[in-house]
Each structure stands twice: as C-alpha cells, then as structure tokens.
C-alpha cells in the first residue's frame, strides 16, 4: 500500500532523512521506532505532503504522491494523526470530529460520527464539551476519532502514547489493536518500543535519519542491539 524508496528530506541546509526505504502492506501494523530527534516526525510530514522531499519516491496504492499536495494525499486516504493531538481547543468534541471529514468522508459524516462514538463512548458523553477541557487521554481519543472521520485507508499515528498515564497508554494500544482487527492499515510511529513491538507485525528502528534495524517485530524484540540500545539489557 505504501512504498518509500531512497527518501531524502530535511529543513534548510540540514538533512534529516538520509535514504529511507520502507513499506506498509494492506491491513498491516508497521511500527517506526526511535528516540526524539531521529527524524520520525520529519518522515510523517514527508509522507503526508507537509514537507517537500529532496529526492526519492513515495507511492501510495501504486501511485506516486511525493509531488502531491497535502490535500490530495488526504483525498487518497492517507491520514495522519499528528504528535501533540492538534485538536481545535475552542471547539467542542462534535465540531472537532466534523472537521475531520472536511476533505474526505463528508457524504457519510453522520454515520462516521456514530462509528467514532461506538469506538470512543466517552466522546459521545462529551460531545458538547469544549475540547480544551478534556483530559489528555480524551484529547488523544478525539484526535484519533477526527482521523477516522476521513475514512483512512492508511492511518499514521504519530506518538499516540506521548504524555498519557500508564492506564491510558494501555487503553490506546488496545484501541490500535481493535482498529487493526477491523482491517485498517496503521503506521505506528512511537518511542514506546516494547508495546509497539508487541502490537506490530513488522518494525523499523530509526537512528540519525536512517533505519538501523528492520524486520519482523518478533525477531526485533530478541535482537541484542535493540535490547541494549532501548531496553537497557
């Protein structure tokens, strides 16, 4: 579904991504893991059309999208839930969800809102509540729900567990598992190595703009280099 070849991208004179190759197949959960500052969000922005790449190719469902606008990429069904949630704080929960279908899924907006409420009953309870007054976990639910409103074919989740309590982290990973069980392809971009590898089928470990390790998640969990670098073992 998603194919990336020799992707180079950066800001100004700084090269952040230095020749990235990766794939996400239909119905897969693929994790991109790494510490802060290694290029994870830069990769997300390049995939979503928010950052112009310098060279390389990005294909979505067989078509090149590396020269497409962000709006065109959304229309194709590649949807990103950004790091930090980026909700509209002064709008209520339902209004935030409605804006998720601004570009894609507008005709089925009412049905999609009901689907989001089925996944996140708390959002239905707080439908008229101002988004800024929600807890951190509820705001993350709202950000993901807003992404689902666009009927994604591939959903990019950028650090969905960031800043959440341990209880909400467990709930968030359970939600990702549920969405995947419904057939949604997910690119999970995270610092949480252990839980991400438990969830994903394959993973890439990003270090200094290149993938230092990649492969089946079950195999990477046992890799000595990963254990030493990320798990302190």
């Amino acid at each position: 579904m998603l194919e990336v070849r020799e992707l180079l991208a950066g800001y100004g004179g700084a090269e952040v991504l230095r020749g990235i190759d990766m794939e996400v197949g239909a119905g897969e959960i693929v994790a991109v893991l790494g510490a802060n500052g290694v290029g994870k969000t830069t990769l997300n922005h390049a995939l979503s059309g928010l950052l112009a790449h310098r060279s390389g190719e990005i294909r979505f469902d067989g078509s090149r999208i590396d020269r497409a606008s962000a709006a065109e990429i959304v229309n194709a069904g590649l949807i990103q839930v950004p790091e930090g949630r980026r909700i509209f704080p002064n709008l209520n929960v339902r209004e935030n969800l409605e804006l998720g279908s601004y570009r894609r899924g507008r005709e089925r907006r009412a049905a999609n809102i009901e689907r989001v409420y089925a996944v996140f009953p708390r959002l239905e309870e707080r439908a008229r509540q101002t988004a800024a007054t929600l807890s951190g976990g509820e705001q993350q639910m709202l950000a993901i729900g807003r992404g689902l409103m666009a009927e994604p074919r591939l959903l990019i989740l950028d650090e969905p567990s960031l800043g959440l309590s341990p209880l909400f982290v467990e709930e968030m990973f359970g939600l990702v598992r549920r969405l995947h069980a419904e057939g949604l392809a997910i690119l999970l971009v995270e610092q949480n190595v252990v839980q991400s590898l438990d969830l994903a089928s394959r993973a890439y470990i990003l270090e200094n703009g290149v993938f230092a390790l990649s492969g089946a998640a079950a195999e990477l969990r046992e890799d000595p280099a990963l254990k030493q670098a990320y798990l302190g073992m």
Side-chain angles (χ1 to χ4, degrees), residues 191-230:
Q191 293 185 60
N192 191 323
V193 171
V194 174
Q195 287 177 285
S196 297
L197 289 178
D198 284 341
L199 191 62
S201 56
R202 294 186 299 107
Y204 298 86
I205 310 300
L206 187 60
E207 293 183 359
N208 299 318
V210 297
F211 289 133
L213 295 168
S214 65
E219 295 176 1
L220 288 177
R221 280 199 300 268
E222 303 304 319
D223 189 286
L226 184 139
K227 286 183 174 182
Q228 183 175 12
Y230 292 95

Side-chain angles (χ1 to χ4, degrees), residues 108-183:
R108 293 165 296 279
R109 177 179 288 167
N112 287 335
I113 284 180
E114 292 307 312
R115 180 193 173 209
V116 170
Y117 285 162
V119 175
F120 301 110
R122 266 176 285 189
L123 295 184
E124 185 172 18
E125 295 169 6
R126 292 157 173 74
R128 299 302 174 189
Q129 186 171 328
T130 304
T133 65
L134 299 176
S135 71
E138 290 166 346
Q139 289 183 12
Q140 186 63 70
M141 291 177 186
L142 180 57
I144 295 175
R146 184 181 59 191
L148 294 176
M149 289 293 296
E151 300 178 350
R153 300 180 60 233
L154 172 61
L155 186 66
I156 300 175
L157 297 176
D158 192 352
E159 304 279 12
S161 72
L162 185 66
L164 301 185
S165 69
L167 182 62
F168 263 118
V169 169
E170 291 291 339
E171 190 168 345
M172 197 56 55
F173 278 98
L175 164 72
V176 174
R177 184 175 282 108
R178 177 179 171 183
L179 294 175
H180 173 248
E182 295 176 358

